[in-house]
Amino acid sequence: MTVTRKGDVIVALDFPTAQDAYAFLDRFPEEKPFVKIGMELYYAEGPQIVREIKARGHKIFLDLKLHDIPNTVKSAMRILSALDVDMVNLHAAGTTEMMKAALEGLTRPDGTRPLLIAVTQLTSTSEEAMQKELLIHATMPETVLRYAQNAQLAGLDGVVCSPLEAAAVKQTCGQAFLTVTPGIRFADTAADDQARVTTPAIAREGGSDFIVVGRPITRAVDPVATYRRCVKEFLS
Ligand code: C5P
């Protein structure tokens, strides 16, 4: 498996064009931050944006949240794996069978593969919507933990979850099971549209292995200094 250092700050490249993304990355004189490419940038620019950013020396979390029939997800994962990304994800709601198929597709002929992470319940989904619209009658914590267990059973490496859920996931699935957590804000900045936020230091204490940080860094007056502050708070 591709070895990814456990514990890092992942910068969400939520930009509409490659030009915007490169202009942002060009501001970093030394560091090559681990970056997240999501649907917006990927759908705008296609796989070439992944190749280019990889060639610039960055690790990449490709956040496309796959969810389809097992065979389709397996085939798509094979394509993403060939792009040499370091981390990809899917929806645990696609079932254990789909997650196992994804893992198969992701594994390269030489046995290496990117980390595979499952989305449990999106943090934008309220417990009320989950119960009334999706007819999932368990509580949100029960659902998140069950989805995490399903992902572990399927052989995945971890889950995307709220930093406030990371400790419970670790308790249920063990310390080695990775938690990747968005919803990070500094104590002295705005929460934007994130409802449940926490600081890098508290996320670390709660058991987050990777924090995903977007606007606090990308929209900062000095993104490089802000990234450094984030790394310092998270890793020390
Ligand atoms: O700007 P901000 O730090 O809120 O960005 C967080 C990033 O993490 C965004 O790219 C967002 O799509 C992603 N994300 C999230 N909550 C989830 C899953 C992904 O905020 N549950």
Side-chain angles (χ1 to χ4, degrees):
M1 194 193 331
T2 306
V3 178
T4 304
R5 184 164 59 90
K6 206 180 161 190
D8 212 342
V9 173
I10 303 179
V11 181
L13 290 183
D14 292 326
F15 295 109
T17 68
Q19 214 180 359
D20 293 320
Y22 299 151
F24 171 77
L25 293 176
D26 285 345
R27 299 181 70 158
F28 287 81
E30 300 162 16
E31 302 96 331
K32 297 283 181 189
F34 197 139
V35 297
K36 179 172 89 69
I37 297 177
M39 292 183 194
E40 183 185 15
L41 192 55
Y42 189 80
Y43 290 151
E45 302 290 349
Q48 192 49 33
I49 185 79
V50 175
R51 294 189 191 100
E52 173 63 30
I53 291 177
K54 194 75 199 172
R56 285 170 170 241
H58 297 269
K59 284 189 170 159
I60 297 178
F61 169 21
L62 194 52
D63 177 21
L64 298 181
K65 300 187 180 74
L66 274 66
H67 187 175
D68 207 319
I69 60 170
N71 188 58
T72 300
V73 170
K74 181 176 166 180
S75 310
M77 285 294 184
R78 184 168 293 130
I79 303 290
L80 298 185
S81 186
L83 278 176
D84 196 24
V85 293
D86 299 279
M87 187 186 287
V88 294
N89 62 358
L90 46 62
H91 275 285
T95 75
T96 308
E97 191 193 343
M98 187 203 78
M99 291 192 269
K100 283 182 181 164
L103 204 59
E104 247 182 85
L106 206 59
T107 305
R108 304 180 185 111
D110 65 359
T112 64
R113 63 169 174 81
L115 292 172
L116 182 56
I117 305 293
V119 175
T120 52
Q121 279 290 338
L122 292 172
T123 46
S124 53
T125 307
S126 67
E127 189 171 79
E128 192 191 2
M130 183 183 81
Q131 293 177 343
K132 287 194 178 151
E133 293 179 30
L134 308 182
L135 300 184
I136 295 172
H137 296 300
T139 65
M140 183 59 82
E142 283 168 347
T143 310
V144 167
L145 290 179
R146 178 57 188 268
Y147 282 23
Q149 285 176 305
N150 291 348
Q152 189 171 38
L153 212 96
L156 271 65
D157 303 293
V159 289
V160 181
C161 64
S162 152
L164 306 167
E165 293 157 357
V169 168
K170 292 278 187 187
Q171 209 171 14
T172 304
C173 301
Q175 289 302 317
F177 195 64
L178 300 174
T179 54
V180 180
T181 65
I184 304 295
R185 291 297 179 270
F186 294 111
D188 52 5
T189 54
D192 301 309
D193 59 347
Q194 294 282 16
R196 297 168 71 218
V197 298
T198 196
T199 65
I202 293 173
R204 183 66 174 183
E205 280 163 29
S208 299
D209 293 295
F210 294 89
I211 52 173
V212 176
V213 190
R215 287 161 292 180
I217 293 175
T218 56
R219 296 196 188 167
V221 177
D222 186 344
V224 178
T226 309
Y227 170 74
R228 288 177 183 158
R229 174 185 174 189
C230 202
V231 170
K232 199 170 161 212
E233 284 190 22
F234 184 57
L235 295 179
S236 60

